[in-house]
Amino acid sequence: MTGQIKSLDEYHSEYARSVADPEGFWAEQASSFEWRKPWKQVLKWNFREPKVNWFGGGRLNITENCLDRHLATRGKQTALIWEPNDPKRKARKITYKQLYGLVCQFANALKAQGVKKGDRVCIYMPMTPELSVALLACARIGAIHSVVFAGFSAVSLADRIKDAKASVVLTSDYNSRGPKNIPVKQVVDEALALGCDSVRHVIVHQNTGDPLQMVEGRDIWWHEAVKGKRKSCKATAVDSEDMLFILYTSGSTGKPKGVVHTHGGYMVYTEYTFRNVFQYQDGEVYWCTADIGWITGHSYIVYGPLLAGATSVMFEGIPTFPDPGRFWAVIQRHKVNIFYTAPTAIRALMAAGDQWVKGRRMPSLRVLGTVGEPINEEAWQWYHERVGKKRCPIVDTWWQTETGGIMITPLAGITPLKPCFATLPMPGIQPCLVDANGHEIEGNDVEGMLCIKYPWPSILRTTYGDHERCRQTYFATFKDKYFTGDGARRDADGYYRIIGRVDDVINVSGHRIGTAEVEDAINKAPRVVESAVVGYPHDIKGQGIYAYIITSGPIADMAAFKKEVLDTVTKEIGAIAKPDKIQVVPGLPKTRSGKIMRRILRKIAEGDTSNLGDTTTLLNPEVVDEIKQGAKSA
Ligand code: PRX
């Protein structure tokens, strides 16, 4: 491993070096890994097509760097501490050696099912160690994993399986979450009934052991699949730019797109950021509470920590089960040093009352982190005082599915903090703010749309099966820049503060949801003619979902209608996309060209109707007053 940045001066000099000589800088980082064959060219790129190649010609396998490389020195060290949903059950500890064995064995099982390099494997599993094993086993044999968060519905799962043309689905019988056992495999059955013709096999991990229907010839138990398989498996060497995984994420328009990350660059960047942002020290216990179904789990539960040889906690349950003191109990139980969570969890626990955290001594804690959405000042202060007892730096890490790793963040204990600021870019990251005309806004104390000017190793390479969509979405808005979709401020000290999305994406409890997707789902409900969805400020979730709906006629039973809408959204997308407020409206404010004026709807949803701006250009200005009146009943 190369070293860590140890001081603010060193950060500034590393940053300057990474901009003056990006290739030299990243080549140095990359050289601390094991490559089967060295790269020929560090970087080749243009943002026009776009085409970005890092470490071209290099061959490697990321799992050799996550596992094999550590065996001699860390074989007996715990890689994973699994904390089950039920606090009365014993935690499971898995050493690097054991994890290596499990990954190899399952890789052999996948091979036996005919999975080959380049095949897509869809993973729809709860937070058990087998989920990590599943990702790594795919990577071991060069198969491309596509993890789908186990809270998505059968329809969403089917869409993702079809888009990736997955040949195998990995799942579990049930998901233990809080007091409930959710039938995960049943969702897979429902998804496959929607015509996922590419799927040959389903491998089912027995998690709870509750009764289950297996489909003869298609379904195989995980424990049967690994029976007699060897605990060693030579890793398949892949090209640095071969696909490692696809992860679907929501955007402004259409269905979620499959963001593609590749082996070499993703490996270098996730390890580098993990080590430097959290300032991980050998022997420390690190805990990221995300789900592996999202990018945070991919990069900072599975790959980053393992690449860095860390010990991490993986948690099956939810923050409020059996009570809102669970996170703090787990921190005490496993002597967690670094704790990384989402603002929405902090706000929920803060709302549950101080009694759950008061009196809890957590002397092991050294670093706190947040991710996924802007953190408000109150939550930041509470986290700092009540959880970190004013001793622990908070790293507010800004990044995205598409960026693969943390982009703008303090380095723990090094960067002077400002509440709610993601502060400064990581070395190698060249952010800029642009105005609506695409002109870069220079200087400090300014606000604009956040773009990145130069490639970094884990930038997305494409959107699966549709490169043009990737170009359009990220590289066409502003010439020669990657557009993040976020608005940001740069203050007098040059610190960045992320304001939030400037596109039609809502961030609900740190989950990215496209308004168009939710509208499509709502429109499938009975009696819905048209809908428009916007975000509004929500105390716990950050943003809530507000749906305006035009119906085909008067609704006699409003409660029953709203339930139908919620059920339809749950069926089409999943419970995470359920609107918090529904308002039936006589019409939607539209421009003369037929475009919905979301600005007005957003204002009304926010409860701010004092200044709706110019409504005279609307086709139907009269609906605005009616919507304003009706908003009280939503
Ligand atoms: O709006 C930003 C917000 O989350 C978006 C990315 O969502 P996703 O791809 O699901 O990845 C989330 C986890 C990396 C961003 O465009 N976001 C993420 N982190 C922060 C944030 N907003 C403010 N502050 C953050 N630290």
Side-chain angles (χ1 to χ4, degrees):
M1 268 322 70
T2 43
Q4 276 166 329
I5 295 171
K6 282 285 160 231
S7 66
L8 195 58
D9 283 347
E10 207 182 315
Y11 160 76
H12 286 301
S13 64
E14 283 292 277
Y15 187 81
R17 188 165 75 95
S18 76
V19 174
D21 176 19
E23 297 191 24
F25 178 82
W26 288 116
E28 186 184 311
Q29 307 307 328
S31 62
S32 64
F33 294 92
E34 278 175 18
W35 296 76
R36 292 276 191 90
K37 204 174 133 208
W39 58 88
K40 290 203 182 84
Q41 188 171 8
V42 179
L43 172 64
K44 203 170 141 197
W45 71 287
N46 74 69
F47 276 173
R48 256 177 305 102
E49 296 175 63
K51 191 168 178 63
V52 180
N53 267 295
W54 280 96
F55 313 114
R59 292 184 77 76
L60 75 156
N61 186 288
I62 193 169
T63 70
E64 286 187 333
N65 285 288
C66 289
L67 301 168
D68 310 41
R69 184 172 56 134
H70 299 313
L71 291 183
T73 50
R74 306 180 187 274
K76 294 197 181 117
Q77 181 194 314
T78 303
L80 258 188
I81 304 171
W82 182 64
E83 170 74 18
N85 177 55
D86 179 353
K88 291 194 224 61
R89 275 179 70 192
K90 242 182 98 190
R92 188 172 153 197
K93 291 191 176 173
I94 300 173
T95 64
Y96 271 90
K97 178 82 197 299
Q98 288 165 333
L99 186 60
Y100 167 85
L102 291 168
V103 169
C104 286
Q105 196 177 37
F106 194 63
N108 285 325
L110 286 174
K111 279 205 232 171
Q113 297 303 324
V115 180
K116 298 182 304 300
K117 177 170 183 270
D119 289 353
R120 275 80 55 217
V121 175
C122 177
I123 304 178
Y124 187 77
M125 291 173 78
M127 286 286 285
T128 57
E130 284 71 20
L131 172 53
S132 291
V133 169
L135 273 71
L136 294 162
C138 289
R140 186 99 184 151
I141 61 172
I144 301 163
H145 57 74
S146 166
V147 182
V148 178
F149 172 61
F152 277 117
S153 70
V155 175
S156 285
L157 175 60
D159 283 346
R160 288 158 171 79
I161 292 173
K162 286 182 204 168
D163 190 75
K165 299 190 184 62
S167 57
V168 171
V169 178
L170 311 179
T171 190
S172 302
D173 51 3
Y174 292 84
N175 183 357
S176 284
R177 274 178 80 73
K180 287 189 264 181
N181 270 358
I182 300 155
V184 181
K185 159 70 162 61
Q186 197 184 308
V187 180
V188 173
D189 289 340
E190 287 165 24
L192 297 193
L194 298 170
C196 301
D197 301 336
S198 55
V199 176
R200 287 183 277 110
H201 291 296
V202 178
I203 304 181
V204 187
H205 172 247
Q206 200 168 41
N207 184 30
T208 67
D210 292 314
L212 194 69
Q213 281 277 313
M214 294 288 273
V215 176
E216 180 97 30
R218 187 195 74 185
D219 300 351
I220 309 146
W221 285 109
W222 182 294
H223 54 267
E224 298 287 343
V226 296
K227 207 178 258 172
K229 297 289 180 295
R230 293 184 46 192
K231 290 199 163 184
S232 63
C233 168
K234 190 168 164 39
T236 303
V238 300
D239 191 275
S240 179
E241 282 297 334
D242 278 340
M243 289 186 198
L244 171 62
F245 67 84
I246 306 170
L247 186 58
Y248 287 84
T249 192
S250 297
S252 284
T253 54
K255 292 203 175 198
K257 46 195 171 298
V259 167
V260 170
H261 286 289
T262 58
H263 280 255
Y266 180 81
M267 170 179 81
V268 172
Y269 196 73
T270 52
E271 193 274 346
Y272 177 78
T273 47
F274 175 78
R275 184 162 36 91
N276 281 292
V277 173
F278 302 106
Q279 291 285 303
Y280 183 83
Q281 306 299 313
D282 249 353
E284 284 191 320
V285 177
Y286 158 89
W287 180 22
C288 167
T289 69
D291 191 291
I292 291 174
W294 311 109
I295 191 70
T296 307
H298 280 60
S299 302
Y300 299 109
I301 296 180
V302 182
Y303 290 108
L306 291 175
L307 287 163
T311 297
S312 37
V313 175
M314 178 180 183
F315 178 42
E316 186 185 31
I318 55 173
T320 49
F321 179 80
D323 59 53
R326 184 68 189 274
F327 274 1
W328 325 130
V330 174
I331 289 173
Q332 285 184 319
R333 187 177 187 187
H334 300 300
K335 300 191 174 53
V336 171
N337 305 109
I338 303 170
F339 179 65
Y340 189 31
T341 195
T344 189
I346 299 168
R347 286 190 297 263
L349 297 178
M350 187 169 87
D354 279 357
Q355 71 269 29
W356 301 105
V357 67
K358 225 178 186 169
R360 286 251 184 213
R361 287 196 66 243
M362 295 181 274
S364 59
L365 277 181
R366 187 177 66 79
V367 174
L368 301 174
T370 71
V371 58
E373 48 176 324
I375 184 165
N376 49 311
E377 172 108 27
E378 198 191 351
W380 196 98
Q381 295 296 357
W382 187 85
Y383 197 32
H384 186 60
E385 284 169 26
R386 299 300 148 95
V387 182
K389 319 287 181 202
K390 298 190 187 167
R391 289 186 297 109
C392 307
I394 297 178
V395 290
D396 178 349
T397 63
W398 172 83
W399 57 296
Q400 311 177 293
T401 306
E402 295 86 344
T403 69
I406 297 169
M407 302 285 281
I408 303 183
T409 178
L411 304 182
I414 293 173
T415 314
L417 301 176
K418 260 188 216 176
C420 314
F421 278 76
T423 74
L424 298 171
M426 286 300 291
I429 304 306
Q430 301 186 31
C432 64
L433 299 176
V434 298
D435 64 20
N437 301 318
H439 297 307
E440 194 172 331
I441 306 168
E442 308 277 352
N444 288 343
D445 209 4
V446 289
E447 200 173 303
M449 284 176 277
L450 181 62
C451 293
I452 318 283
K453 292 197 273 193
Y454 197 86
W456 61 99
S458 63
I459 185 174
L460 88 158
R461 300 303 196 266
T462 189
T463 45
Y464 192 77
D466 192 351
H467 193 63
E468 174 56 16
R469 190 165 178 205
C470 170
R471 190 188 71 78
Q472 277 286 345
T473 312
Y474 307 105
F475 299 92
T477 319
F478 303 113
K479 190 165 177 282
D480 287 333
K481 292 182 178 68
Y482 164 82
F483 176 41
T484 64
D486 281 317
R489 243 204 101 65
R490 189 168 53 225
D491 77 355
D493 295 327
Y495 271 27
Y496 286 88
R497 176 178 192 154
I498 310 300
I499 298 165
R501 302 289 304 195
V502 293
D503 54 8
D504 292 323
V505 169
I506 335 184
N507 196 327
V508 183
S509 303
H511 300 145
R512 229 166 110 166
I513 296 173
T515 50
E517 267 176 90
V518 184
E519 288 162 8
D520 282 349
I522 292 174
N523 295 350
K524 294 201 167 91
R527 292 181 287 175
V528 172
V529 175
E530 195 183 356
S531 61
V533 163
V534 296
Y536 72 98
H538 187 288
D539 283 349
I540 305 289
K541 299 178 176 187
Q543 279 190 297
I545 302 180
Y546 197 121
Y548 297 92
I549 300 180
I550 303 175
T551 55
S552 55
I555 303 290
D557 185 345
M558 194 53 84
F561 172 72
K562 288 186 177 178
K563 183 170 181 305
E564 269 178 350
V565 170
L566 296 182
D567 288 349
T568 308
V569 173
T570 306
K571 177 170 166 278
E572 292 294 320
I573 305 176
I576 56 170
K578 279 200 299 197
D580 300 275
K581 290 190 178 179
I582 294 174
Q583 181 184 349
V584 172
V585 292
L588 292 166
K590 288 193 179 168
T591 61
R592 289 185 202 283
S593 57
K595 242 183 106 199
I596 296 173
M597 283 273 255
R598 285 170 191 280
R599 180 177 58 76
I600 294 175
L601 296 177
R602 255 182 239 124
K603 282 248 175 197
I604 297 174
E606 283 165 14
D608 171 15
T609 52
S610 53
N611 180 14
L612 292 180
D614 184 11
T615 55
T616 54
T617 55
L618 289 177
L619 197 62
N620 49 353
E622 71 287 352
V623 295
V624 175
D625 271 339
E626 292 181 64
I627 297 175
K628 264 176 20 187
Q629 286 307 318
K632 297 180 187 104
S633 64

